[in-house]
Amino acid sequence: MTSRHAPSYRPDIDGLRAIAVLSVVLYHFGVPGLGGGFVGVDIFFVISGFLIGGLLWREAEDTGRIRLARFFARRIKRLAPAFATMALAVAAASYVILLPFEFREFGKSLIAATVYLSNVHFYREAGYFDTGAEDKILLHTWSLAVEEQFYIILPLVILLLAKRLGMLRAFLWVCFALSFAASLWILPRSQPAAFYLFPFRAWELLAGVLLAIEAQRHQFTFCAPPALGWLGLALTLAGIIIIPSGTGFPGLWALLPVAGAVVLIASGLSNSPVTRLLRHPIPVGIGLISYSLYLWHWPVVTLYGYWFGKMSALASALLIVLSFALAFLSWLLVERPVRRATLSLPAVFGGGILASALLVGIGGFIFIKNGMIDRFGDAHRTHIEATADFLQDWSRCTVPSDGPFAGIETCPIGPEGAPRILVWGDSHVRALKEGLEQLAFETDTPALLIWRAGCAPVFGLSKSETAATPAQNAACTEANNQIETALTQGAFAKVLLVGRWGYYAGGGGTGIDTQNKINLSVSGTTGSQAEQFATGLMRTIKRLQSSGSSVAVLRSIPEIAGYDARQISRVLNNGARADWNDAPGLMQISQQEVEARDAPLAGLWGALASTGTLLLDPAPFLCSGGTCSAVHDGVGQYFDNNHLTNSAARRIRSLFEPFWTSP
């Protein structure tokens, strides 16, 4: 049998789909031993490229053209009905349980998923204040978006070069090589880009496309020796078991599942033990419902975790069964009937447009209504409103292409004009932005903000942080060095330094973010981390003063170790998490504990008076009677355990007024 007219159905590929979807599902449900289970998506990419790329190539070879309308109609029938069903069900569940801020974000993701741009959406969201993956109910749709972006471009490319197949084949090989090289290049610079964006994932789909093309050109029968099947299975399982999650993926690691899938497909028509295993009715059956299973399992994971918290082994097993049940029903009642139905092209496109318009409309309504806070009573509005009181307008920010701050994002605040004041620091600058901007307008004083998450405003700083990538760690050092050059030229009359000082001196977070660790050193200093940091901060201040700038330092924002507005709101509204029974106690902390957190820098604060540095203390605004609270006069003051809300930032703005208005 030749592959030019390959069999219309290959059960071994459904068996391979089963491996792919099971690895993803079991990984997401926390089944041990599958550390790289997420690579099932990479296997799907190869399968998809092989099947669809092969069909398009055969059509171009046989007819010299591509019937785009029929192709896109098949894609709509294949994907849209099951997706729309899942999306509507999840939207209804989210309406019932999600907090307004989260429901608003769900609305955005629903729009993005419907128009197959969710990979771009989640890439743009990735960052320091990004919510965890377990809170993003439609996160799994990123892979569907990558595929559909690929299948918008691939048919057009084949159509353009359908009469020059040799040139087309060469072009696809070049694209494969460029995409793989670009993936390796971008990974250390932006792991989210390498993971989510189509150009850096295209090589995986092209691996399947090129396998189909080369097999047809060389009349390959897919009846490879049994050893090849075992090799493919070994590569695939090795990827699923040993690949670590984190900043090193995809990169070279992705070669394991991609190569494994290619080899298994190439040997899929042999009569080897591996092929017989893949053709067994059980994996074939799972493969048949794999699309619906992929669609439904992740909402089950996220919604359960949202409501109940940590998943027990028993809960995990029951939820896996539930996911399979939902997938089977989706396949039986929605996916299969629509695929088998004889529908005209206008009916297919019309139905797809109507379904998409409905979903986009729902998502847009949720977003415009800011998550529909009226769904909740007044009892817990304080914390619910705090979850959304951390969004700011950064539209005035720019990244200069030249000058002393070339390549560094700078954000003007206040009236137009040359800034006299620079506020430089870490993510706490972002949290204070609304208050500082209001003060800048009130005093008619233009100012400039420069902030970088997890990057203290200290000259000569090098750091390694668990919450950052190696590229982000290196960028902190590079930016600080550049800022040192710019500021020591006397560019600003005043400089305000803001940072989570106890985090840098102590080497880690506290309470709910204890897992965040940071190791740092400062060039030209010795001693412990706290000593190096204190010396570096003092040296930075003196350098700025010697350049003619007046300097102020904001002492640490009191950290309420166990508080997070999102988590507290969830607990108060559903009361389902046994591990959050002490929610009220997590909303405050003693001032003594706050001072202990800042103790490694007590000597530095005392020494600053002799340098003429203005030391600003936010504690009197946030603490009273020996207790620091997340709520003031019924208004939430904290977004998480160390970042203030916009309301709090505006309330404490008078703290900065003496520095802002001094000569």
Side-chain angles (χ1 to χ4, degrees):
M1 178 184 294
T2 69
S3 67
R4 174 171 172 74
H5 299 288
S8 58
Y9 174 63
R10 283 182 51 176
D12 61 290
I13 290 182
D14 268 329
L16 183 55
R17 281 196 179 107
I19 292 177
V21 75
L22 285 176
S23 68
V24 173
V25 170
L26 298 180
Y27 170 78
H28 285 155
F29 278 107
V31 175
L34 302 175
F38 52 87
V39 305
V41 170
D42 305 77
I43 299 171
F44 275 126
F45 284 161
V46 177
I47 294 172
S48 178
F50 174 78
L51 294 175
I52 297 175
L55 287 172
L56 290 170
W57 176 270
R58 279 194 294 275
E59 185 176 359
E61 191 175 39
D62 291 342
T63 68
R65 62 189 177 91
I66 297 293
R67 291 175 293 180
L68 290 178
R70 290 185 178 277
F71 172 77
F72 289 123
R74 288 196 301 269
R75 298 301 295 166
I76 292 171
K77 288 181 67 177
R78 173 74 176 95
L79 300 177
F83 168 78
T85 303
M86 179 276 297
L88 287 171
V90 169
S94 299
Y95 172 84
V96 174
I97 68 172
L98 291 190
L99 299 174
F101 171 72
E102 296 157 333
F103 197 40
R104 178 179 181 272
E105 294 305 301
F106 171 81
K108 288 167 58 179
S109 65
L110 179 59
I111 295 171
T114 302
V115 298
Y116 294 111
L117 287 174
S118 58
N119 61 325
V120 177
H121 170 70
F122 290 120
Y123 160 71
R124 289 170 61 88
E125 279 195 343
Y128 193 76
F129 292 104
D130 188 17
T131 56
E134 66 277 3
D135 292 333
K136 298 178 179 181
I137 303 174
L138 296 178
L139 179 63
H140 62 318
T141 62
W142 74 268
S143 64
L144 305 180
V146 168
E147 279 201 35
E148 290 317 295
Q149 290 160 23
F150 182 80
Y151 291 126
I152 290 173
I153 294 175
L154 181 65
L156 296 176
V157 170
I158 294 178
L159 181 63
L160 288 173
L161 298 175
K163 297 184 183 303
R164 297 177 177 85
L165 293 182
M167 183 183 297
L168 171 61
R169 172 174 166 268
F171 178 75
L172 294 178
W173 273 108
V174 170
C175 289
F176 170 83
L178 289 176
S179 175
F180 180 64
S183 175
L184 298 181
W185 176 83
I186 198 67
L187 181 64
R189 294 164 176 82
S190 175
Q191 191 270 341
F195 188 88
Y196 285 118
L197 297 186
F198 153 71
F200 311 113
R201 289 289 198 151
W203 69 273
E204 301 183 31
L205 288 133
L206 283 168
V209 174
L210 291 168
L211 171 62
I213 291 173
E214 296 302 327
Q216 291 179 50
R217 289 184 71 252
H218 298 288
Q219 301 292 296
F220 181 59
T221 62
F222 296 98
C223 292
L228 199 63
W230 287 113
L231 173 62
L233 185 63
L235 291 172
T236 302
L237 295 181
I240 293 170
I241 294 170
I242 70 172
I243 291 179
S245 61
T247 58
F249 190 85
L252 291 173
W253 279 117
L255 286 172
L256 274 177
V258 170
V262 167
V263 173
L264 282 173
I265 293 171
S267 61
L269 293 183
S270 64
N271 193 30
S272 69
V274 172
T275 301
R276 290 197 297 271
L277 175 64
L278 294 178
R279 292 176 183 169
H280 189 277
I282 292 178
V284 168
I286 295 172
L288 287 173
I289 65 169
S290 61
Y291 174 58
S292 284
L293 181 56
Y294 183 78
L295 283 178
W296 284 98
H297 88 281
W298 182 246
V300 170
V301 171
T302 54
L303 290 171
Y304 178 91
Y306 185 98
W307 190 262
F308 294 104
K310 189 175 180 180
M311 191 182 302
S312 68
L314 177 60
S316 178
L318 293 175
L319 292 173
I320 291 172
V321 173
L322 174 62
S323 298
F324 269 90
L326 291 171
F328 178 74
L329 291 174
S330 174
W331 173 79
L332 181 67
L333 302 178
V334 179
E335 190 179 343
R336 187 175 67 164
V338 174
R339 290 180 67 182
R340 290 183 171 182
T342 302
L343 301 172
S344 66
L345 291 179
V348 173
F349 284 108
I353 291 170
L354 287 175
S356 298
L358 174 63
L359 294 176
V360 169
I362 292 172
F365 182 81
I366 294 169
F367 180 77
I368 291 171
K369 292 295 184 179
N370 285 316
M372 305 168 70
I373 194 170
D374 292 337
R375 294 175 293 137
F376 299 91
D378 295 332
H380 307 308
R381 282 285 187 95
T382 295
H383 303 285
I384 289 174
E385 289 172 349
T387 65
D389 195 18
F390 198 59
L391 301 173
Q392 302 104 353
D393 178 9
W394 297 94
S395 59
R396 293 177 66 186
C397 299
T398 60
V399 180
S401 58
D402 53 25
F405 295 117
I408 296 175
E409 185 175 59
T410 59
C411 303
I413 60 172
E416 297 294 335
R420 296 185 62 250
I421 301 174
L422 172 70
V423 183
W424 176 33
D426 58 14
S427 57
H428 284 204
V429 172
R430 169 180 173 157
L432 292 167
K433 185 255 187 184
E434 293 297 299
L436 294 174
E437 184 160 45
Q438 185 172 342
L439 179 62
F441 278 114
E442 289 171 346
T443 60
D444 196 32
T445 307
L448 193 71
L449 307 184
I450 296 179
W451 72 278
R452 188 178 294 267
C455 185
V458 172
F459 298 149
L461 177 75
S462 297
K463 60 112 174 177
S464 175
E465 186 180 15
T466 56
T469 66
Q472 290 168 331
N473 289 328
C476 170
T477 301
E478 294 169 5
N480 283 13
N481 290 341
Q482 185 176 345
I483 291 170
E484 178 177 11
T485 301
L487 297 188
T488 52
Q489 297 172 358
F492 295 90
K494 303 175 186 179
V495 178
L496 170 62
L497 302 179
V498 177
R500 190 184 182 189
W501 310 122
Y503 175 64
Y504 303 118
T510 182
I512 61 171
D513 77 325
T514 303
Q515 74 281 0
N516 291 332
K517 305 296 181 184
I518 185 169
N519 295 312
L520 58 82
S521 60
V522 180
S523 61
T525 67
T526 58
S528 66
Q529 178 162 314
E531 291 168 338
Q532 288 193 52
F533 182 74
T535 301
L537 183 56
M538 178 65 81
R539 189 175 64 188
T540 299
I541 292 168
K542 290 181 176 179
R543 287 287 305 278
L544 292 170
Q545 291 171 334
S546 67
S547 301
S549 299
S550 299
V551 180
V553 175
L554 179 69
R555 284 196 62 169
S556 300
I557 298 294
E559 299 185 7
I560 303 180
Y563 183 78
D564 184 294
R566 293 164 296 186
Q567 297 285 6
I568 292 291
S569 295
R570 294 176 186 178
V571 172
L572 294 177
N573 279 285
N574 66 46
R577 296 190 183 191
D579 55 333
W580 283 83
N581 286 334
D582 192 34
L586 303 175
M587 300 175 194
Q588 59 188 27
I589 196 170
S590 72
Q591 199 160 354
Q592 185 177 3
E593 291 176 89
V594 170
E595 291 170 357
R597 170 74 167 162
D598 224 21
L601 296 174
L604 172 65
W605 304 142
L608 286 181
S610 64
T611 67
T613 303
L614 179 62
L615 187 62
L616 305 174
D617 189 1
F621 290 84
L622 301 164
C623 308
S624 177
T627 300
C628 304
S629 175
V631 179
H632 177 80
D633 288 342
V635 178
Q637 304 295 287
Y638 285 78
F639 175 76
D640 57 21
N641 70 349
N642 68 99
H643 292 97
L644 297 183
T645 60
N646 294 330
S647 297
R650 288 189 290 267
R651 185 174 69 83
I652 73 169
R653 68 185 186 280
S654 60
L655 171 64
F656 305 99
E657 190 168 358
F659 180 68
W660 220 264
T661 58
S662 63

